[in-house]
Amino acid sequence: MAASDLEIRAAEDELRRGFQTLEVVQKDPAVPVYHIYLNRAAQRNALTVPFFSELPRALSLLSVLPSARALVLAARGPHFCSGIDLEALRSLTPSPSPSPAAAADLLRGRILSLQAAISSLERFRKPVVAAIQGACVGGGVDLAAACDIRYCSDDAFFVVKEVDLALAADLGSLQRLPHIIGYGNAVDLALTCRRVSALEAKAMGLVSRVFPSPSALEEGVDQLAKGLAEKSSVAVMGTKAVLLKSRDQKVDEGLDYVATWNSAMLMSPDLEEAVAAHIQKRKPNFSKL
């Protein structure tokens, strides 16, 4: 169901008021693409406790806007993300409790809440492109892995850091990376905690393209996002939903799911418009969602 004008204005107003850890920008009002910037450059965009409530809130607001047909996740400063802030990590640990079971249950709830914040990128219905420069470490890899497409500059490097902190990564890298780069590569990165260059990340499929500089990365990602925003939102959202659903299903289950999806979505006027535009050799005018 499309949002009402009142809901759209309320979402735009809240986005304008801003966030503590994020900056949300629509660079060109004529281009239906929004950028979410991690905005703690002095701290190498380490993820603090407020981030984990602000990211899903920003995404919820953007989901209301017809002008947000594609999203870029990027970062201010020379580094994408250095991982979870150590103070935030300490704050996860419950105070001493006479009941180990109660303490474990509390900690589990806190971890699930952080996981949900990262997964909100994956669950955002429109395509999300990660633009990665400099360090992408720990929680930064979790964020990147939850995006749909990943581009980086040639100075980028990636580290799954948690084992070196005496932890098992628990925000999504161990679940998503095997699907992205293969099980063997995922085990290598997760157990060794070694630094992976941009070119190696490209070779293993962690990123799709490598650009010669952060400015070239920004330009390339903006072109990609603009192109995605020009496509049928019905088709793009359906493709994303089906890919995610099929990732964790057997082929037969995935085929059944996409049949169910398209039994409704193929009745979209976007299909008729796409065919007409192709025949008439013009740019299609897709519906806004």
Side-chain angles (χ1 to χ4, degrees):
M1 181 183 297
S4 68
D5 290 344
L6 183 61
E7 290 172 321
I8 292 170
R9 286 197 297 271
E12 290 173 338
D13 288 344
E14 186 171 345
L15 287 169
R16 276 194 291 269
R17 287 195 291 272
F19 300 91
Q20 179 181 334
T21 66
L22 304 172
E23 182 183 4
V24 181
V25 176
Q26 185 182 20
K27 291 183 177 180
D28 183 347
V31 177
V33 173
Y34 274 79
H35 290 64
I36 294 182
Y37 290 98
L38 309 182
N39 197 27
R40 301 180 69 243
Q43 294 78 31
R44 296 187 176 186
N45 294 309
L47 307 178
T48 59
V49 171
F51 167 83
F52 289 96
S53 59
E54 290 188 338
L55 177 64
R57 181 57 185 163
L59 291 169
S60 177
L61 295 169
L62 288 167
S63 70
V64 172
L65 305 184
S67 56
R69 298 180 65 159
L71 179 64
V72 174
L73 180 69
R76 296 301 190 191
H79 297 287
F80 179 72
C81 178
S82 59
I84 296 182
D85 181 88
L86 291 181
E87 289 302 318
L89 196 59
R90 290 193 189 100
S91 73
L92 290 177
T93 306
S95 301
S97 168
S99 169
D105 185 66
L106 178 60
L107 180 56
R108 182 175 185 276
R110 290 175 178 175
I111 294 171
L112 290 173
S113 177
L114 302 188
Q115 290 176 346
I118 301 294
S119 294
S120 63
L121 284 166
E122 188 173 76
R123 293 171 183 160
F124 189 71
R125 295 194 304 160
K126 314 294 177 62
V128 182
V129 182
I132 303 160
Q133 79 279 4
C136 183
V137 177
V141 178
D142 293 311
L143 283 173
C147 295
D148 301 306
I149 300 173
R150 289 161 294 278
Y151 284 2
C152 74
S153 53
D154 63 2
D155 68 335
F157 62 92
F158 303 82
V159 185
V160 181
K161 187 68 174 174
E162 283 80 358
V163 162
D164 277 352
L165 298 175
L167 297 169
D170 57 8
L171 298 186
S173 289
L174 300 186
Q175 290 70 38
R176 295 184 175 101
L177 286 180
H179 293 284
I180 297 169
I181 62 176
Y183 180 81
N185 284 326
V187 171
D188 178 5
L189 268 59
L191 293 183
T192 66
C193 306
R194 67 184 181 85
R195 176 168 166 160
V196 173
S197 69
L199 291 180
E200 185 179 0
K202 171 67 168 61
M204 65 174 59
L206 182 54
V207 298
S208 300
R209 290 189 64 184
V210 178
F211 291 84
S213 67
S215 60
L217 169 66
E218 181 178 12
E219 182 179 349
V221 167
D222 286 354
Q223 289 178 354
L224 169 64
K226 181 180 179 182
L228 292 172
E230 291 174 348
K231 298 182 185 298
S232 163
S233 288
V234 170
V236 170
M237 290 190 300
T239 298
K240 176 172 178 173
V242 170
L243 282 169
L244 287 173
K245 190 75 172 180
S246 299
R247 181 186 63 186
D248 301 319
Q249 290 182 321
K250 296 178 182 178
V251 172
D252 286 348
E253 293 170 332
L255 290 171
D256 183 70
Y257 180 78
V258 72
T260 302
W261 181 281
N262 270 351
S263 67
M265 292 306 177
L266 285 181
M267 293 184 287
S268 162
D270 278 3
L271 177 59
E272 184 178 343
E273 169 63 12
V275 173
H278 180 73
I279 293 172
Q280 297 166 16
K281 302 187 186 315
R282 60 173 174 81
K283 188 174 180 179
N285 183 23
F286 292 125
S287 56
K288 296 181 179 180
L289 296 177

